[in-house]
Structures are given as C-alpha cells and as structure tokens.
C-alpha cells in the first residue's frame, strides 16, 4: 500500500498535520473522517479537496468515515464566514443529507465487503437526544473559554464584526465538532480527522477533548484552501458555484470549467482532483510544456474529473457538445443535446423571439425581416447562395427554403449560423 502522507505531500494536499500522524499510520490500517455540513442539497467542487483526501485514504488501505452534520448544520460553522448562517429546519436538512449521501457514493466505496469500506454517519443521530444540561456538564467543563477564544476562526470573526459579534450558538460550534471526533473515537476507533485548513481550530479542539476525556492520542491533517493562480476564488464563476448536481451545473458546464483553467492551475489541479499516478501526471506536465496550445493538461483534467463525478457517458456528451461551437459538429449531434446542454453551449448567443404562428416562413424573411441577423434580404440572399448560412448545423443554399416546424428543436428553438463563428437562436414562442 502507498504511504498516505507521502502521497498527499507530492500532490500538494497537506497544509498542517499533527506530530505523530505519519508514525501512527505506519502501524497499520487506521480510521479517519471528514465532516460535511449539509447546508445545501448538493456538494460543490469546493468540497472536492477533502473528499479526494478521503478517497486517497481509502485507496491506501484505511477506513474512511464521511460525517454529514445533520446536527451541526443546524448551527453553522463560523470559520472563514463574515456573518452568521441562516439556520435550516429539520426537514430541509434531512433532504440535504439524503442528496449528499448519494453524491459521496461516487467517490467512496460504501458497498463492498472490504474491511475498509466507507461508512457514512450523521451526527444528528447522537446529538438529537443529548440534552443541553448534560452536554454542558459532560463536555463544556472540559474546554475553557480562553482555549475557545484563542482559535483563529473566533478571533478573526470577532475582530472584523465587532458591531454584531458572534452568537453563543456559533461560539459553541467548535465544541460540537470536537464532540463528534470524541464520539467517533469512542464508538468507531476513529483517530484521525481530515479537513480544510480553515477547520484546524475545530479539529484540534476534538483532539484536545479526546486527550482530556480518554487520555488517548488523536490526530489531525488539513489540506490547503484551493485558490486560482490569479487570486480569484476557486470553484466560483460569474453564475456562482460549480455544483456536482447535474441539475444545478450541467455536465457540459462542469467539463468546461476544468477545460478552461489556466496552465498554472491545471498543473496543480491535476494532482489534487484526479487519481492519476505520479509518473503519468509528470509525463503530461512535460508534454504540455512542449505544446501548451494543445492544452493536454486541461483536457485530461476535465476528462478525469467529469468521468468521476458524472460518468463516462456524460463526459462523451460534454466532449461532443464542446465541439459544437468550434468543431465540425453535425446536425445529428446538435439534435442529441438535451435542452440544458443546448442552452449552456450557446449561452450568450443573440436570441430572437418569434411566435410559432409565424411559421413556416421563408429563410430570407427569417434572416432579415423577423430578425436583424442581416441588414437586408439582399445581403442574406448572397450569403445563402454562397453556402454561408446553416439551420441547425445544416448548410442551406436555396433562397426559397421554408423554415417550419421540422426545424424547431425540442419544440422551442432554431439555431442559425452565419459564417463560421456567428450563431443566433430563434426562440419559438
């Protein structure tokens, strides 16, 4: 089996690690967990780093636990937050937990009979009947306020938000997360917690609770918070987060995100977000350096992550869709696109609304009267006769061509193309 810590080091996936962690892992298979707050019903790619660490942990022969925070999700973690989160009701949280469980199954083996198969736990199960009085008596007395105040997540929040401060609810978050670690240590022999760098304070509160309660050793390992080379926030676009749920971010949009990262980011991301071996990654980096215009790194990165999240079929569809604007895509390939992907591919293309009652209509009327794609029918006629106009990726040359219901995609759209690069959508109302 690979050395887990060494594997993460060359991939650039370690920010902090407690002393003795590597030595403990060397003794044999170990159990570790990552916590995820179910504040939404889908994970986004910001979650992927800690999930990939858990995936590597399992691949190295260890047993991973994914903890979905049904209880802590009701409170909200103050780490790296400028203001308190909205609290979610129990029904919403239960829905979110179910959705996240399904997504995690794409990364971790929960179903095999292997001794290191992944386990999914929900801290609501052990917190729901724990009374406030018992919690403060059993756990609250073990950690001082001075210790809690020393955490960066608390200090930063208080210093930048002096007018509103921090509620007691949020202040107690680190105790609840610390208790999760203690509970898993006592009931599942989990000795290591993994997470993002912003979780270091919460995780070490857990190791301290374990030390004071059980006298045992527990460990922490965090990964760096991923940024873009230009300083922008990773995983964010103008339209918001890149989600794993295909209903929120289509597989095509997901594929395009990875395909369009910078060379510098691609070189880092392919180590972090894929399971490719070191030799293959180093070979790809060397090949990319010789011919950056081919974007070999970006293409391989986009393939690996899209297949992992959405499957090979969706990757193939995304690859085909990505050639729609720049390749020699066929009419059949266009018609095979679902509506979500069609709209994503042609996002930003000029759109015209024409009532269904106005079809069938002559092509010249469509190009120059019902729209302003051409300033006159004369110019439209010349371009059609010259083979420079396409309807739904099929070139036309007949100036008397009628545009009718057979040309309407999904009963809603007609795609017109002028020359090689100019696209227009007719939205049939």
């Amino acid at each position: 089996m690979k050395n887990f810590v060494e594997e993460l080091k060359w991939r650039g996936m370690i920010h902090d690690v407690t002393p003795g962690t590597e030595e403990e892992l060397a003794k044999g298979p170990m159990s570790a967990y990552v916590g995820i707050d179910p504040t939404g019903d889908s994970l986004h790619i910001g979650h992927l780093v800690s999930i990939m660490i858990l995936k590597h942990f399992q691949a190295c022969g260890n047993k991973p636990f994914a903890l979905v925070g049904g209880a802590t999700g009701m409170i909200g973690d103050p780490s790296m937050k400028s203001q308190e989160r909205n609290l979610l009701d129990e029904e919403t949280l239960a829905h979110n937990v179910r959705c996240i469980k399904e997504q995690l199954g794409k990364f971790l083996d929960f179903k095999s009979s292997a001794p290191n198969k992944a386990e999914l736990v929900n801290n609501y199960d052990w917190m729901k009947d724990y009374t406030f009085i018992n919690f403060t008596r059993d756990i609250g007395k073990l950690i001082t306020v001075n210790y809690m105040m020393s955490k960066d997540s608390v200090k930063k929040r208080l210093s930048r938000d002096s007018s509103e401060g921090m509620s007691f609810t949020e202040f107690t978050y680190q105790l609840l997360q610390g208790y999760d670690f203690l509970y898993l240590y006592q009931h599942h022999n989990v000795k290591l917690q993994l997470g993002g760098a912003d979780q270091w304070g919460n995780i070490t509160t857990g190791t301290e609770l374990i030390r004071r309660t059980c006298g045992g050793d527990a460990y922490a390992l965090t990964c760096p918070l991923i940024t873009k080379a230009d300083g922008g926030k990773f995983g964010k676009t103008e339209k918001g987060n890149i989600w794993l749920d295909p209903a929120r971010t289509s597989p095509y949009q997901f594929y395009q995100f990875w395909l369009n990262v910078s060379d510098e980011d691609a070189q880092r991301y392919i180590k972090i977000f894929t399971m490719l071996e070191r030799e293959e990654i180093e070979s790809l980096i060397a090949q990319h350096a010789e011919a950056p215009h081919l974007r070999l790194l970006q293409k391989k990165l986009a393939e690996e992550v899209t297949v992992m999240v959405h499957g090979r079929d969706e990757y193939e569809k995304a690859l085909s869709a990505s050639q729609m604007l720049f390749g020699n895509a066929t009419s059949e390939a266009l018609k095979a696109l679902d509506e979500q992907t069609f709209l994503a591919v042609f996002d930003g293309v000029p759109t015209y609304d024409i009532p269904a009652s106005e079809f069938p209509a002559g092509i010249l009327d469509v190009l120059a009267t019902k729209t302003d794609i051409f300033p006159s029918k004369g110019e439209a006629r010349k371009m059609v006769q010259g083979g420079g106009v396409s309807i739904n990726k099929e070139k036309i040359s007949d100036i008397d061509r009628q545009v009718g219901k057979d040309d309407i995609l999904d009963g809603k759209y007609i795609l017109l193309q002028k020359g090689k690069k100019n696209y227009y959508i007719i939205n049939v109302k």
Side-chain angles (χ1 to χ4, degrees):
M1 287 292 180
K2 293 179 182 177
N3 181 302
F4 174 63
V5 173
E6 287 300 320
E7 183 73 10
L8 295 191
K9 279 180 180 176
W10 79 260
R11 290 179 182 272
M13 295 174 74
I14 292 183
H15 185 269
D16 280 310
V17 59
T18 50
T21 302
E22 195 165 2
E23 291 78 3
E24 187 68 22
L25 282 160
K27 295 177 183 177
M30 193 172 173
S31 295
Y33 87 97
V34 164
I36 299 169
D37 276 342
T39 48
D41 61 2
S42 173
L43 301 171
H44 53 75
I45 61 173
H47 293 108
L48 273 186
V49 188
S50 55
I51 293 172
M52 289 302 295
I53 285 184
L54 211 54
K55 186 174 178 67
H56 281 293
F57 187 73
Q58 187 172 37
C60 289
N62 301 292
K63 186 175 180 68
F65 284 77
L67 183 149
V68 182
T72 41
M74 292 182 175
I75 292 175
D77 179 9
S79 302
M80 308 297 286
K81 306 296 186 298
S82 60
Q83 60 186 6
E84 189 157 346
R85 289 176 175 172
N86 292 327
L87 306 186
L88 302 178
D89 60 72
E90 193 170 334
E91 183 179 350
T92 301
L93 279 164
H95 166 74
N96 293 350
V97 168
R98 286 193 300 272
C99 295
I100 289 171
K101 280 183 181 180
E102 186 175 340
Q103 290 183 342
L104 287 171
K106 297 178 180 179
F107 302 91
L108 303 171
D109 170 22
F110 288 100
K111 297 179 179 179
S112 79
S113 57
N116 72 323
K117 76 170 185 175
E119 303 283 349
L120 197 139
V121 293
N122 184 346
N123 61 13
Y124 184 73
D125 293 336
W126 57 80
M127 291 303 303
K128 61 184 177 182
D129 297 322
Y130 207 165
T131 67
F132 177 75
I133 290 175
N134 286 338
F135 184 81
T136 52
R137 183 191 64 191
D138 299 340
I139 306 301
K141 68 179 182 180
L142 298 175
I143 301 293
T144 67
V145 171
N146 287 359
Y147 179 88
M148 295 171 72
M149 291 285 288
S150 70
K151 300 296 184 178
D152 284 343
S153 60
V154 175
K155 289 194 292 187
K156 288 178 181 177
R157 175 66 181 277
L158 290 175
S159 65
R160 72 170 169 243
D161 195 18
S162 56
S163 60
E164 295 184 13
M166 176 189 288
S167 71
F168 176 75
T169 301
E170 275 198 307
F171 184 59
T172 59
Y173 184 93
Q174 64 173 291
L175 277 184
L176 290 168
Q177 184 171 329
Y179 179 68
D180 286 342
F181 199 174
L182 173 61
Y183 182 92
L184 292 176
Y185 180 91
Q186 291 175 324
H187 293 84
H188 297 282
N189 197 33
V190 174
K191 294 184 177 180
L192 172 64
Q193 185 178 168
L194 310 166
D198 59 322
Q199 292 297 308
W200 183 256
N202 293 332
I203 295 174
T204 52
T205 296
T207 62
E208 185 67 10
L209 265 180
I210 291 167
R211 186 185 68 80
R212 295 185 183 188
T213 303
C214 309
D217 292 324
Y219 306 91
L221 186 152
T222 60
C223 53
L225 298 179
I226 305 302
T227 57
K228 295 195 293 186
D230 62 7
K233 189 169 183 179
F234 168 74
K236 286 277 191 180
T237 67
E238 291 179 2
K239 294 186 177 181
N241 284 321
I242 302 297
W243 299 94
L244 306 194
D245 182 350
R248 291 188 178 213
T249 300
S250 71
Y252 167 79
Q253 291 169 317
F254 187 86
Y255 172 78
Q256 286 292 316
F257 171 82
W258 300 100
L259 190 65
N260 289 314
V261 300
S262 70
D263 288 353
E264 186 176 345
D265 286 336
Q267 188 167 328
R268 287 190 302 133
Y269 294 169
I270 201 164
K271 297 175 184 177
I272 295 169
F273 297 109
T274 78
M275 297 296 286
L276 296 175
E277 297 291 343
R278 184 171 190 170
E279 295 76 13
E280 183 173 359
I281 288 176
E282 289 176 348
S283 174
L284 281 166
I285 291 172
Q287 291 176 59
H288 182 90
E290 291 179 4
H293 64 284
L294 296 179
R295 300 180 68 78
L296 293 177
L297 273 180
Q298 286 91 338
K299 289 176 181 177
K300 189 62 176 174
L301 170 66
E303 176 187 355
E304 290 293 316
V305 185
T306 304
V307 169
M308 182 166 56
V309 174
H310 295 295
R312 175 65 59 179
D313 286 348
E314 290 298 333
Y315 160 73
E316 296 291 349
K317 290 178 187 176
L319 185 62
S320 175
S322 70
Q323 296 168 353
M324 220 29 93
L325 291 173
F326 311 108
N328 297 317
T330 63
S331 175
E332 288 72 22
L334 176 68
K335 292 173 182 175
L337 297 182
D338 58 82
E339 182 179 0
Q340 183 187 29
T341 304
F342 174 83
L343 294 175
V345 170
F346 297 102
D347 183 35
V349 165
T351 301
Y352 301 90
D353 293 336
I354 301 178
S357 59
E358 295 189 20
F359 292 98
I363 184 61
L364 299 184
D365 283 330
V366 172
L367 293 173
T369 304
K370 298 180 185 297
T371 69
D372 59 0
I373 294 173
F374 287 90
S376 69
K377 285 187 177 183
E379 289 196 35
R381 181 183 292 107
K382 288 180 184 177
M383 185 70 95
V384 170
Q385 290 174 329
V389 173
S390 296
I391 298 177
N392 297 335
K393 285 291 181 178
E394 287 184 350
K395 284 191 177 184
I396 60 170
S397 56
D398 181 4
I399 59 173
D400 295 320
R401 165 79 148 80
Q402 293 290 299
V403 181
K405 64 179 183 179
D406 291 341
D407 296 309
I408 303 174
L409 303 170
D410 291 327
K412 297 179 182 179
Y413 310 106
I414 300 171
L415 180 69
L416 295 174
Q417 185 176 352
K418 179 175 72 174
K420 290 185 176 181
K421 297 181 179 179
N422 299 304
Y423 290 92
Y424 308 87
I425 290 175
I426 293 176
N427 193 6
V428 182
K429 294 291 190 180

